[in-house]
Every structure is written in structure tokens, then in C-alpha cells.
């Protein structure tokens, strides 16, 4: 039965110039390349020097619009997944729309779902497109995590990085089968009882400060493998797709051991798993669109490929998207 699909017609990403290596970090806190590499798979990460989440988002969005051969005037909604907005309010999406010159009246909003922010944002955009409310959407995941990292805490400061990724979605008629291009299935979850295992220690109504990332690494790790696998399996099952039919697993990039654990749980060979955590670190809501855009640009992920996106983060939140490029 024919249906409306949200097709990814453009993608782009932006990483700030400054690269912070594990050796650089070893001069700042009591750590070393060997510990960081073996425990996390991270070798380096990009750090913003004055560029805000909106600044980086606009660069990623410009690239995505160029790829889509559209302008900002063609965009019907802007949704940004971020936990590091430029201001408490308005939404960073509104600021981005204002600077880029979106048509007046176009809806813009941010999603607060931490590392699952992009998967949540993509799902909301897909829902709006399938309902016929919009025909095009600019969906961004962007973070300036360096601003909320405690650079004296070796448990957390070695993990995170900055950056932005964006996609342009467009409504397209599909056949209603898993052979369609575009988003084929989505699934979102949360469990607020896990609030204390991963959070930022500030907030408007509590401390009136931004705060710093606090994490119970072991608990997050345990939950991450199960939840990332659960979300991926759910969207695959919705479409009756098995592991052999998947071209790429693109999980949230937090830790190579988590990424490999999810791949093995799903029965996917390492060659089918996208890894960028080595040179991006954990960029929260930016991690999936950064990895997606980089892999598409490099020709690694190709037109027609079936890709399962899976994210997990603070809340806890988690979710999956099955998409044919
Ligand atoms: O994006 C949201 C999702 N976030 C995640 O998925 C992160 C999930 N968690 C993890 O990736 C891992 O738990 C970490 C990488 C954060 C930690 O790895 P771990 O294998 O769980 O290490 P640990 O916390 O058990 O720490 C082991 C030791 C400790 O020393 P003692 O107490 O055993 O003497 C730490 O103090 O390693 C020490 N340690 C460090 N040593 C050198 C912690 N951080 C560092 C460091 N350098 N940077």
C-alpha cells in the first residue's frame, strides 16, 4: 500500500578545527593514551574555540542544503537535538532559522533527549512529514560539550567532543515495503528512574548554572549495550528485516566496546558497523548525524543501503531508526 516516506536527500557535518589528542589530555589530568584507547577506543576529539552550537549547526546545515540542492527557503520545519543550546531560551533551532533566513512562520524547536536527541528529532520530523504537516525538514544534531565538561575530572573529560551534523528530509511517495527509500521505522524509549546515572549537574530551576557532566560509567555501559540493541532490533522487526539484510549499523558513538558489543549482539560483522568514536569522541546528539554524513561523503554508505541507527543517552533515553538511503 502506498505511503509517504521521509527521504534523506542531503547531509552535512562540521567539526571545529582544534583537535585534542589523548596525549594532550595526559598533560591536563592523570591519564594516558593507553587507558583512553583501550577503555574507550577514542584517540582524539574536536573542541570548539568560540563557535557555538548554532554556529556549527549552520555550517552543517548549509552543507546538507547544498547536497539536497535546496535553500533554507524550501525548509518547512527545523528540529535540533542538543543538550548544549546557545541560550536557555529560545530554542537553538529558532536562532538557526533566524540567522539562516528561514521563511517567517516556519516552526522550529529543540529536542532535549541528550545523546538520543538526533534519533528523537528524526522521528518527530518523520512523523510530521508522514502526517502531511510538512514536506521538507532540516534535522540537526549538534553539541558544544566542551562547555559542560569538568576538565579536571579524568573520569569524564577524556570522553567528549564537539561538532554538528545535519540532514534534509523530503516527503516522497513509497510502496510501503522495506524496499522503499527513506525512513522505514522508528521507535523511542525512556526510563526516568535512571536519571541519576547520567546527568549535567546544573539547571535553570535548580542551580541557575549550566553545570558539568556527571556519569556512573559502569551503569551507563551496562544499560547501553542492551538498549542500543533493543532499539535496533525493534525497528528491524517492524519491517521484517534480519541482520543479513542490514548494510550498516550506525550506533551512538560513545565507546568502542559498547559499539562492538551491540554489533555482536545483533549478529553483525565488524565490517558492517560504522565507527567514528576514535576521531570524534562522544559528541552526544551530534554523534549519529556526524558519522552518517562523514560515511556518506566518503562513499562508504551508498544510495540504496539499509542503515539502522541506534542511540542511547541521559534520561535514560534510547531509540532506533531504520532508513534506506
Ligand atoms: O553518551 C552517553 C553514554 N555514555 C556512555 O556510554 C559511557 C559508558 N561508560 C563507559 O564508556 C565506561 O564506563 C568508561 C569509559 C566511562 C569507564 O570505563 P570502565 O572500564 O568502566 O572504567 P572504570 O570506571 O571501572 O575505571 C577503572 C579505573 C578506575 O581506577 P580504580 O578505581 O580501579 O583505581 C578509575 O579511577 O580507571 C580509572 N580511570 C582512569 N584512569 C586513567 C578513570 N578514568 C581514567 C582516565 N585515565 N581517564
Amino acid at each position: 500500500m502506498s505511503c509517504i516516506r521521509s527521504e534523506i536527500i542531503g547531509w552535512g557535518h562540521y567539526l571545529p578545527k582544534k583537535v585534542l589528542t589523548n596525549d594532550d589530555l595526559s598533560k591536563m589530568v592523570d591519564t594516558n593514551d593507553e587507558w583512553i584507547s583501550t577503555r574507550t577506543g577514542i584517540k582524539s576529539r574536536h573542541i570548539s574555540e568560540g563557535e557555538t552550537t548554532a554556529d556549527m549547526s549552520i555550517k552543517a546545515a548549509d552543507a546538507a542544503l547544498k547536497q539536497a540542492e535546496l535553500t533554507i527557503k524550501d525548509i518547512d520545519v527545523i528540529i535540533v537535538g542538543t543538550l548544549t543550546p546557545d541560550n536557555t531560551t529560545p530554542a537553538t533551532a529558532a536562532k538557526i532559522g533566524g540567522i539562516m533566513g528561514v521563511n517567517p512562520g516556519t516552526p522550529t524547536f529543540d529536542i532535549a533527549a541528550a545523546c538520543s536527541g538526533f534519533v528523537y528529532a528524526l522521528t518527530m520530523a518523520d512523523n510530521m512529514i508522514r502526517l502531511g504537516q510538512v514536506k521538507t525538514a532540516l534535522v540537526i544534531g549538534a553539541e558544544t560539550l566542551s562547555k559542560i565538561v569538568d576538565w579536571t575530572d579524568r573520569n569524564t573529560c577524556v570522553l567528549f567532543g564537539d561538532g554538528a551534523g545535519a540532514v534534509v528530509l523530503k516527503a516522497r511517495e513509497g510502496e510501503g515495503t522495506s524496499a522503499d527509500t527513506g525512513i522505514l521505522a522508528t521507535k523511542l524509549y525512556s526510563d526516568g528512574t535512571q536519571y541519576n546515572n547520567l546527568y549535567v549537574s546544573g539547571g535553570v530551576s535548580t542551580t541557575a548554572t549550566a553545570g558539568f557532566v556527571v556519569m556512573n560509567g559502569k551503569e551507563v555501559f551496562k544499560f547501553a549495550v542492551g538498549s542500543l540493541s533493543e532499539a535496533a532490533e525493534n525497528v528491524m522487526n517492524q519491517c521484517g528485516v534480519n541482520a543479513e539484510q542490514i548494510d550498516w549499523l550506525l550506533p551512538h558513538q560513545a565507546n568502542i566496546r559498547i559499539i562492538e558489543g551491540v554489533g555482536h549482539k545483533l549478529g553483525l560483522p565488524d565490517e558492517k558497523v560504522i565507527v567514528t568514536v576514535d576521531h570524534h569522541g562522544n559528541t552526544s546528539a551530534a554523534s549519529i548525524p556526524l558519522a552518517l554524513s562523514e560515511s556518506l561523503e566518503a562513499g562508504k554508505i551508498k544510495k540504496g543501503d539499509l542503515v539502522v541507527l541506534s542511540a542511547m543517552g541521559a534520561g535514560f533515553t534510547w531509540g532506533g531508526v531504520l532508513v534506506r538511503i
Side-chain angles (χ1 to χ4, degrees):
M1 203 174 64
S2 75
C3 65
I4 301 175
R5 297 289 193 193
S6 310
E7 195 175 7
I8 297 179
I9 61 161
W11 53 84
H13 65 276
Y14 177 77
L15 290 158
K17 281 212 170 49
K18 183 179 170 185
V19 174
L20 192 68
T21 64
N22 292 347
D23 287 338
D24 294 332
L25 277 161
S26 70
K27 293 176 193 121
M28 296 159 64
V29 287
D30 181 16
T31 191
N32 53 70
D33 176 52
E34 206 264 329
W35 191 97
I36 303 171
S37 300
T38 53
R39 298 289 179 124
T40 72
I42 301 168
K43 285 291 199 185
S44 62
R45 66 291 286 146
H46 291 253
I47 301 292
S48 159
E49 290 179 298
E51 285 170 303
T52 69
T53 296
D55 294 335
M56 293 189 290
S57 296
I58 290 166
K59 292 198 166 121
D62 278 338
L65 285 166
K66 191 168 173 217
Q67 170 79 29
E69 298 180 355
L70 296 181
T71 76
I72 193 68
K73 301 289 183 204
D74 298 308
I75 292 298
D76 297 336
V77 63
I78 303 176
I79 312 178
V80 177
T82 189
L83 65 94
T84 48
D86 282 22
N87 294 87
T88 303
T89 199
T92 302
K95 183 176 181 185
I96 292 166
I99 295 171
M100 292 185 76
V102 74
N103 290 323
T106 301
T108 57
F109 58 98
D110 289 358
I111 295 268
C115 301
S116 312
F118 182 75
V119 160
Y120 266 64
L122 208 53
T123 300
M124 292 305 119
D126 178 48
N127 290 344
M128 291 177 84
I129 285 176
R130 286 187 302 105
L131 274 172
Q133 292 175 336
V134 299
K135 289 210 160 25
T136 56
L138 174 60
V139 184
I140 301 170
E143 302 286 9
T144 320
L145 294 172
S146 58
K147 297 281 187 192
I148 53 162
V149 162
D150 177 354
W151 289 104
T152 65
D153 175 14
R154 71 174 184 173
N155 290 294
T156 53
C157 76
V158 301
L159 304 174
F160 300 103
D162 299 335
V167 297
V168 175
L169 297 180
K170 188 165 187 215
R172 180 182 188 282
E173 193 79 18
E175 297 297 319
T177 72
S178 60
D180 286 349
T181 52
I183 293 176
L184 302 176
T186 60
K187 175 69 181 171
L188 303 178
Y189 308 81
S190 84
D191 177 0
T193 65
Q194 303 276 355
Y195 173 93
N196 283 323
N197 280 322
L198 179 55
Y199 62 97
V200 176
S201 61
V204 178
S205 72
T206 50
T207 60
T209 62
F212 294 110
V213 177
V214 181
M215 181 167 70
N216 181 347
K218 280 209 188 313
E219 287 306 312
V220 179
F221 192 107
K222 271 193 276 177
F223 198 88
V225 177
S227 57
L228 288 165
S229 308
E230 178 187 21
E233 270 167 355
N234 182 289
V235 291
M236 286 161 63
N237 289 341
Q238 283 186 47
C239 296
V241 163
N242 60 37
E244 282 94 76
Q245 293 165 279
I246 295 292
D247 294 300
W248 299 103
L249 167 68
L250 200 173
H252 172 50
Q253 305 287 312
N255 184 317
I256 189 67
R257 293 183 293 145
I258 295 174
I259 294 168
E260 287 173 354
V262 177
H264 295 162
K265 217 162 174 220
L266 295 174
L268 286 163
D270 291 348
E271 310 84 74
K272 283 190 171 188
V273 181
I274 301 285
V275 176
T276 56
V277 71
D278 54 329
H279 56 290
H280 292 166
N282 180 348
T283 57
S284 187
S287 102
I288 287 181
L290 265 173
L292 182 64
S293 171
E294 198 174 271
S295 304
L296 281 159
E297 197 176 278
K300 191 170 175 177
I301 299 180
K302 296 183 177 61
K303 193 84 198 136
D305 281 359
L306 190 56
V307 185
V308 60
L309 313 177
S310 181
M312 179 270 165
F316 290 152
T317 55
W318 63 111
V321 172
L322 184 70
V323 58
R324 190 177 294 284
I325 302 297

